[in-house]
Amino acid sequence: MTFSAQDTTLLLVGHGSRNRDGNKEILHFAAQWRERHPGWRIEVCFIEHAEVLLDEGLNRAAGNDAKRVVVIPFILNAAGHVKMELPHAVEEARARHPGVEFQVVRHLGMGREIFEVLQGQLDRLMKQLDMPDPCTTGVILLGRGSSDAGANGELAKMARWIFEDNDHELVDIAFTGVTWPRLETAVQRQVKLGMTQVAIVPVYLFTGVLMERIKAQAERLQRQYPQVAFALGTHFGFDKGIFELLDSKVGGDALPEGSLLECDGCKYRLAAEDEHLHDHSHTTTHDHDHAHPPPAQGTCGHGHGHKHDHDHGHGHCHGHNHSHDHHSHG
Protein backbone atom coordinates (compact mmCIF):
# COMPACT_ATOMS: atom_id res chain seq x y z
CA MET A 1 0.00 0.00 0.00
CA THR A 2 1.46 3.33 -1.06
CA PHE A 3 1.36 6.58 0.87
CA SER A 4 0.15 9.63 -1.06
CA ALA A 5 1.00 12.87 0.74
CA GLN A 6 -1.28 14.91 -1.53
CA ASP A 7 -4.59 13.50 -0.32
CA THR A 8 -3.65 11.96 3.04
CA THR A 9 -3.59 13.46 6.52
CA LEU A 10 -1.52 11.84 9.25
CA LEU A 11 -3.13 12.20 12.68
CA LEU A 12 -0.87 11.75 15.70
CA VAL A 13 -2.99 10.75 18.70
CA GLY A 14 -1.25 11.40 22.02
CA HIS A 15 -2.40 10.23 25.42
CA GLY A 16 -2.58 13.71 26.90
CA SER A 17 -1.24 14.95 30.22
CA ARG A 18 -2.50 17.19 33.00
CA ASN A 19 0.95 18.75 32.75
CA ARG A 20 0.71 21.10 29.79
CA ASP A 21 4.42 20.77 29.14
CA GLY A 22 3.85 17.15 28.14
CA ASN A 23 1.25 18.10 25.55
CA LYS A 24 3.45 20.93 24.31
CA GLU A 25 6.27 18.44 23.75
CA ILE A 26 4.03 16.32 21.53
CA LEU A 27 3.13 19.41 19.52
CA HIS A 28 6.84 20.23 19.29
CA PHE A 29 7.52 16.67 18.13
CA ALA A 30 4.91 17.07 15.40
CA ALA A 31 6.57 20.31 14.32
CA GLN A 32 9.93 18.55 14.05
CA TRP A 33 8.34 15.68 12.14
CA ARG A 34 6.86 18.19 9.66
CA GLU A 35 10.33 19.67 9.19
CA ARG A 36 11.62 16.21 8.28
CA HIS A 37 8.76 15.80 5.77
CA PRO A 38 7.59 19.26 4.63
CA GLY A 39 5.19 17.76 2.10
CA TRP A 40 3.24 15.74 4.66
CA ARG A 41 -0.01 16.88 6.26
CA ILE A 42 0.34 16.13 9.97
CA GLU A 43 -2.29 16.89 12.62
CA VAL A 44 -2.26 16.24 16.38
CA CYS A 45 -4.96 15.43 18.92
CA PHE A 46 -5.17 13.82 22.34
CA ILE A 47 -7.29 11.24 24.09
CA GLU A 48 -7.66 13.28 27.26
CA HIS A 49 -6.39 16.32 29.19
CA ALA A 50 -6.06 18.61 26.16
CA GLU A 51 -7.94 21.15 24.08
CA VAL A 52 -8.09 19.12 20.86
CA LEU A 53 -9.50 15.68 21.66
CA LEU A 54 -10.23 12.69 19.43
CA ASP A 55 -13.47 13.80 17.76
CA GLU A 56 -12.18 17.24 16.88
CA GLY A 57 -8.82 15.87 15.78
CA LEU A 58 -10.47 13.36 13.44
CA ASN A 59 -12.70 16.08 12.01
CA ARG A 60 -9.72 18.35 11.39
CA ALA A 61 -7.78 15.55 9.75
CA ALA A 62 -10.73 14.74 7.47
CA GLY A 63 -10.98 18.36 6.31
CA ASN A 64 -9.05 20.18 3.57
CA ASP A 65 -10.20 17.75 0.86
CA ALA A 66 -8.49 14.77 2.48
CA LYS A 67 -9.34 11.43 0.91
CA ARG A 68 -7.59 9.39 3.57
CA VAL A 69 -6.72 9.81 7.24
CA VAL A 70 -4.02 7.64 8.76
CA VAL A 71 -4.48 7.58 12.52
CA ILE A 72 -1.29 6.93 14.49
CA PRO A 73 -1.69 6.07 18.19
CA PHE A 74 1.36 7.89 19.55
CA ILE A 75 1.38 5.59 22.55
CA LEU A 76 3.83 2.90 23.65
CA ASN A 77 1.42 0.26 24.97
CA ALA A 78 -2.09 -0.64 23.86
CA ALA A 79 -4.51 -0.66 26.76
CA GLY A 80 -8.06 0.63 27.12
CA HIS A 81 -7.52 3.92 25.28
CA VAL A 82 -6.07 2.25 22.19
CA LYS A 83 -8.19 -0.89 22.27
CA MET A 84 -11.54 0.70 23.07
CA GLU A 85 -11.85 4.47 22.86
CA LEU A 86 -9.79 5.07 19.73
CA PRO A 87 -11.53 2.47 17.50
CA HIS A 88 -14.91 3.72 18.73
CA ALA A 89 -14.02 7.32 17.86
CA VAL A 90 -12.76 6.26 14.42
CA GLU A 91 -16.01 4.39 13.70
CA GLU A 92 -17.98 7.53 14.54
CA ALA A 93 -15.66 9.60 12.34
CA ARG A 94 -16.29 7.20 9.44
CA ALA A 95 -20.01 7.83 9.84
CA ARG A 96 -19.48 11.61 9.92
CA HIS A 97 -17.14 11.61 6.90
CA PRO A 98 -18.33 8.85 4.53
CA GLY A 99 -16.15 10.14 1.72
CA VAL A 100 -12.93 9.78 3.71
CA GLU A 101 -11.05 6.54 4.24
CA PHE A 102 -9.82 6.14 7.81
CA GLN A 103 -6.91 3.81 8.52
CA VAL A 104 -5.42 3.12 11.93
CA VAL A 105 -1.87 1.86 12.20
CA ARG A 106 -0.69 0.06 15.30
CA HIS A 107 0.54 1.92 18.32
CA LEU A 108 4.31 2.30 18.74
CA GLY A 109 4.53 -0.96 20.64
CA MET A 110 7.51 -2.59 22.27
CA GLY A 111 9.54 -3.91 19.40
CA ARG A 112 13.13 -3.78 18.27
CA GLU A 113 13.00 -0.02 17.61
CA ILE A 114 11.91 0.84 21.16
CA PHE A 115 14.40 -1.66 22.54
CA GLU A 116 17.21 0.19 20.78
CA VAL A 117 16.00 3.47 22.31
CA LEU A 118 15.90 1.92 25.79
CA GLN A 119 19.35 0.41 25.29
CA GLY A 120 20.67 3.84 24.38
CA GLN A 121 19.14 5.24 27.57
CA LEU A 122 20.81 2.51 29.63
CA ASP A 123 24.17 3.09 27.96
CA ARG A 124 24.01 6.78 28.89
CA LEU A 125 23.10 5.95 32.48
CA MET A 126 26.06 3.57 32.77
CA LYS A 127 28.37 6.36 31.60
CA GLN A 128 26.75 8.67 34.13
CA LEU A 129 27.64 6.09 36.81
CA ASP A 130 31.25 5.99 35.49
CA MET A 131 30.82 2.56 33.90
CA PRO A 132 30.49 0.38 37.02
CA ASP A 133 30.49 -3.41 37.01
CA PRO A 134 27.11 -4.47 35.53
CA CYS A 135 27.12 -7.45 37.89
CA THR A 136 26.53 -5.04 40.78
CA THR A 137 24.42 -2.55 38.82
CA GLY A 138 20.71 -3.22 38.75
CA VAL A 139 18.40 -1.95 36.04
CA ILE A 140 14.75 -1.00 36.53
CA LEU A 141 12.47 -0.30 33.58
CA LEU A 142 9.75 1.99 34.91
CA GLY A 143 6.46 2.12 33.04
CA ARG A 144 3.15 3.89 33.45
CA GLY A 145 1.21 0.81 34.52
CA SER A 146 -2.13 -0.42 33.21
CA SER A 147 -5.08 -2.58 34.16
CA ASP A 148 -4.37 -4.45 30.91
CA ALA A 149 -2.09 -7.41 31.56
CA GLY A 150 -0.95 -7.48 27.94
CA ALA A 151 0.28 -3.89 28.08
CA ASN A 152 2.22 -4.59 31.29
CA GLY A 153 3.64 -7.73 29.73
CA GLU A 154 5.18 -5.67 26.93
CA LEU A 155 7.38 -3.93 29.49
CA ALA A 156 8.41 -7.32 30.87
CA LYS A 157 9.45 -8.31 27.35
CA MET A 158 11.70 -5.26 27.09
CA ALA A 159 13.25 -6.13 30.46
CA ARG A 160 14.03 -9.61 29.21
CA TRP A 161 15.64 -8.27 26.06
CA ILE A 162 17.76 -5.86 28.11
CA PHE A 163 18.77 -8.76 30.34
CA GLU A 164 19.74 -10.94 27.38
CA ASP A 165 21.77 -8.25 25.61
CA ASN A 166 23.69 -6.96 28.61
CA ASP A 167 25.67 -8.24 31.59
CA HIS A 168 23.46 -6.97 34.38
CA GLU A 169 22.68 -9.34 37.21
CA LEU A 170 19.22 -7.86 37.76
CA VAL A 171 16.81 -6.26 35.30
CA ASP A 172 13.43 -5.59 36.87
CA ILE A 173 10.23 -3.78 35.96
CA ALA A 174 8.21 -1.35 38.05
CA PHE A 175 5.20 0.90 37.49
CA THR A 176 4.19 4.37 38.61
CA GLY A 177 0.55 3.43 39.09
CA VAL A 178 -2.38 1.01 38.66
CA THR A 179 -0.33 -2.15 39.08
CA TRP A 180 2.73 -3.43 40.93
CA PRO A 181 5.56 -3.51 41.82
CA ARG A 182 6.24 0.17 42.37
CA LEU A 183 9.68 1.71 42.07
CA GLU A 184 10.40 1.64 45.81
CA THR A 185 9.75 -2.10 46.00
CA ALA A 186 11.98 -2.87 43.03
CA VAL A 187 14.82 -0.76 44.48
CA GLN A 188 14.47 -2.40 47.88
CA ARG A 189 14.74 -5.83 46.24
CA GLN A 190 17.82 -4.91 44.26
CA VAL A 191 19.59 -3.40 47.27
CA LYS A 192 18.86 -6.53 49.32
CA LEU A 193 20.37 -8.62 46.54
CA GLY A 194 23.61 -6.69 46.64
CA MET A 195 23.31 -4.03 43.94
CA THR A 196 25.50 -1.02 44.70
CA GLN A 197 24.28 1.00 41.69
CA VAL A 198 20.77 1.23 40.25
CA ALA A 199 19.94 2.57 36.79
CA ILE A 200 16.31 3.64 36.47
CA VAL A 201 15.01 3.83 32.89
CA PRO A 202 11.60 5.53 32.60
CA VAL A 203 9.66 4.12 29.66
CA TYR A 204 7.91 7.37 28.78
CA LEU A 205 7.77 9.34 25.56
CA PHE A 206 7.28 12.82 27.02
CA THR A 207 7.27 14.71 30.27
CA GLY A 208 4.23 15.06 32.48
CA VAL A 209 2.94 14.69 36.02
CA LEU A 210 4.28 11.16 36.30
CA MET A 211 7.77 12.12 35.18
CA GLU A 212 7.82 14.76 37.91
CA ARG A 213 6.71 12.13 40.41
CA ILE A 214 9.47 9.78 39.28
CA LYS A 215 12.12 12.44 39.86
CA ALA A 216 10.81 13.03 43.38
CA GLN A 217 10.81 9.29 44.08
CA ALA A 218 14.39 8.93 42.89
CA GLU A 219 15.53 11.77 45.12
CA ARG A 220 13.80 10.20 48.10
CA LEU A 221 15.33 6.79 47.35
CA GLN A 222 18.80 8.33 47.17
CA ARG A 223 18.31 9.72 50.68
CA GLN A 224 16.97 6.38 51.88
CA TYR A 225 19.90 4.43 50.43
CA PRO A 226 22.90 6.77 50.62
CA GLN A 227 25.28 3.86 50.03
CA VAL A 228 23.77 3.19 46.58
CA ALA A 229 24.52 5.25 43.47
CA PHE A 230 21.39 6.03 41.45
CA ALA A 231 21.14 7.17 37.86
CA LEU A 232 17.76 8.26 36.49
CA GLY A 233 16.98 8.45 32.81
CA THR A 234 14.39 10.67 31.19
CA HIS A 235 11.64 10.54 28.58
CA PHE A 236 12.81 9.78 25.06
CA GLY A 237 10.11 10.98 22.66
CA PHE A 238 12.56 13.10 20.69
CA ASP A 239 15.01 10.25 20.12
CA LYS A 240 15.75 9.80 16.43
CA GLY A 241 14.56 6.21 16.75
CA ILE A 242 11.01 7.43 17.43
CA PHE A 243 11.00 9.55 14.27
CA GLU A 244 12.32 6.60 12.29
CA LEU A 245 9.69 4.30 13.76
CA LEU A 246 6.90 6.66 12.72
CA ASP A 247 8.43 7.03 9.27
CA SER A 248 8.30 3.27 8.84
CA LYS A 249 4.68 3.12 9.98
CA VAL A 250 3.46 5.52 7.32
CA GLY A 251 6.00 4.71 4.64
CA GLY A 252 3.82 2.03 3.08
CA ASP A 253 4.86 -1.40 4.28
CA ALA A 254 3.55 -0.98 7.82
CA LEU A 255 0.01 0.03 6.81
CA PRO A 256 -2.29 -2.92 7.55
CA GLU A 257 -3.97 -4.49 4.55
CA GLY A 258 -7.38 -4.36 6.20
CA SER A 259 -6.97 -0.76 7.34
CA LEU A 260 -7.71 -1.91 10.85
CA LEU A 261 -6.21 -1.43 14.25
CA GLU A 262 -5.64 -4.62 16.21
CA CYS A 263 -8.99 -4.12 17.97
CA ASP A 264 -10.79 -2.03 15.34
CA GLY A 265 -13.93 -3.97 14.48
CA CYS A 266 -13.02 -6.81 16.83
CA LYS A 267 -16.09 -8.74 18.01
CA TYR A 268 -14.79 -8.73 21.57
CA ARG A 269 -14.44 -4.96 21.58
CA LEU A 270 -17.93 -4.55 20.12
CA ALA A 271 -19.35 -6.87 22.75
CA ALA A 272 -17.53 -4.94 25.44
CA GLU A 273 -18.94 -1.68 24.10
CA ASP A 274 -22.46 -3.11 24.38
CA GLU A 275 -21.71 -4.06 27.95
CA HIS A 276 -20.25 -0.60 28.56
CA LEU A 277 -23.56 1.00 27.66
CA HIS A 278 -25.10 -0.79 30.64
CA ASP A 279 -22.47 -0.64 33.36
CA HIS A 280 -20.04 2.09 32.14
CA SER A 281 -17.17 -0.36 32.38
CA HIS A 282 -14.46 -1.24 29.80
CA THR A 283 -13.98 -4.69 31.24
CA THR A 284 -15.26 -7.91 29.75
CA THR A 285 -15.28 -11.51 30.83
CA HIS A 286 -14.42 -12.94 27.41
CA ASP A 287 -11.44 -15.23 27.27
CA HIS A 288 -9.48 -12.83 25.08
CA ASP A 289 -6.53 -10.53 25.32
CA HIS A 290 -8.88 -7.55 25.48
CA ALA A 291 -10.12 -8.59 28.90
CA HIS A 292 -8.65 -6.69 31.81
CA PRO A 293 -8.52 -9.21 34.65
CA PRO A 294 -7.75 -7.93 38.13
CA PRO A 295 -4.41 -9.01 39.55
CA ALA A 296 -4.46 -12.17 41.60
CA GLN A 297 -4.11 -11.56 45.28
CA GLY A 298 -0.85 -12.53 46.90
CA THR A 299 0.52 -12.23 50.40
CA CYS A 300 0.99 -8.47 49.98
CA GLY A 301 -2.29 -7.95 48.19
CA HIS A 302 -0.70 -7.22 44.83
CA GLY A 303 -0.51 -10.69 43.35
CA HIS A 304 2.85 -10.12 41.70
CA GLY A 305 5.46 -12.81 41.77
CA HIS A 306 8.26 -11.34 39.70
CA LYS A 307 10.68 -14.13 40.32
CA HIS A 308 13.65 -14.70 38.05
CA ASP A 309 14.72 -18.33 38.14
CA HIS A 310 18.24 -17.78 36.88
CA ASP A 311 20.52 -20.77 37.14
CA HIS A 312 23.16 -18.84 39.01
CA GLY A 313 23.71 -17.40 42.45
CA HIS A 314 23.48 -13.70 43.00
CA GLY A 315 27.07 -13.60 44.09
CA HIS A 316 28.31 -14.65 40.67
CA CYS A 317 27.59 -12.63 37.59
CA HIS A 318 26.12 -14.64 34.75
CA GLY A 319 26.60 -11.90 32.21
CA HIS A 320 29.99 -12.74 30.77
CA ASN A 321 28.70 -16.09 29.61
CA HIS A 322 25.95 -14.54 27.48
CA SER A 323 25.79 -15.69 23.90
CA HIS A 324 23.99 -12.44 22.92
CA ASP A 325 21.75 -14.24 20.46
CA HIS A 326 20.01 -11.37 18.69
CA HIS A 327 17.84 -13.75 16.72
CA SER A 328 15.67 -14.33 19.78
CA HIS A 329 14.54 -10.72 19.72
CA GLY A 330 12.83 -10.66 16.37
Side-chain angles (χ1 to χ4, degrees), residues 238-281:
F238 292 101
D239 189 287
K240 67 176 183 179
I242 303 300
F243 288 98
E244 293 170 355
L245 176 56
L246 286 184
D247 287 349
S248 70
K249 283 186 174 295
V250 301
D253 294 338
L255 289 179
E257 287 298 322
S259 306
L260 296 175
L261 182 67
E262 179 180 2
C263 299
D264 188 7
C266 167
K267 64 180 181 179
Y268 296 100
R269 181 183 68 80
L270 297 177
E273 282 190 349
D274 290 339
E275 184 176 335
H276 174 64
L277 294 177
H278 299 289
D279 62 10
H280 303 287
S281 171

Side-chain angles (χ1 to χ4, degrees), residues 80-100:
H81 289 313
V82 174
K83 291 182 177 180
M84 306 290 284
E85 295 169 47
L86 180 56
H88 178 73
V90 170
E91 280 300 319
E92 292 187 335
R94 286 173 177 148
R96 292 194 303 270
H97 306 279
V100 178

